[in-house]
Structures are given as structure tokens and as C-alpha cells.
Amino acid sequence: TVRPELRLAMVASRFAELLKETAYSANTTYDDLYDLAMQVRRELPNDQTRELVELISRARTLNYGNDYWRAEGDDRDGGNYKR
């Protein structure tokens, strides 16, 4: 299996890509990342994982409904809104 430290780094990097809305985050959701971060936190209970889980949770809350405003076919360019 993959060491929890490596999985923590993977979750953190995917979180950064999602925050920047890059093409690498197209198939990732905040819910997915939260679930992965919680798995890592159970295996590696420290301040780093606790903080990452909190940050993902906050971002998930702030992002709630964001897809509603994104235009169909909008490839995360942030400039086209449907409403």
C-alpha cells in the first residue's frame, strides 16, 4: 500500500490544483478530496492532516453552488456564467 505521507502530499497537490481550477482538477471534487483527506487523517493523525481536512471542508462550503453559475461547456475559464 501507499504510505500515508505520500497520500497526504497527493491530496494537498490535488487540492491546490482544484483551488487554481486547472485542467488537472477537472475530474476532482471537493467531496472526493475531503473523503481522501479523512482517510489519510485516520492513518496519520497530526496537525498537518487536521489542517488540510479543515481547509478542504471550508473550500467545499465556499464552493457550494459554484457549478450552478458556470456556463455549459465552460472549461474553467471563469469568464462565462449562465445566470
Side-chain angles (χ1 to χ4, degrees), residues 40-66:
V40 172
R41 185 160 195 269
R42 283 190 289 277
E43 296 175 26
L44 193 65
N46 61 31
D47 289 341
Q48 270 187 319
T49 56
R50 179 194 49 78
E51 184 178 12
L52 183 59
V53 167
E54 287 177 11
L55 289 171
I56 293 171
S57 180
R58 287 181 191 173
R60 180 171 68 163
T61 300
L62 292 171
N63 190 61
Y64 180 75
N66 186 41

Side-chain angles (χ1 to χ4, degrees), residues 9-25:
M10 184 271 308
V11 171
S13 65
R14 286 178 69 182
F15 182 44
E17 295 298 330
L18 193 57
L19 288 173
K20 294 186 293 184
E21 296 186 334
T22 68
Y24 298 108
S25 69

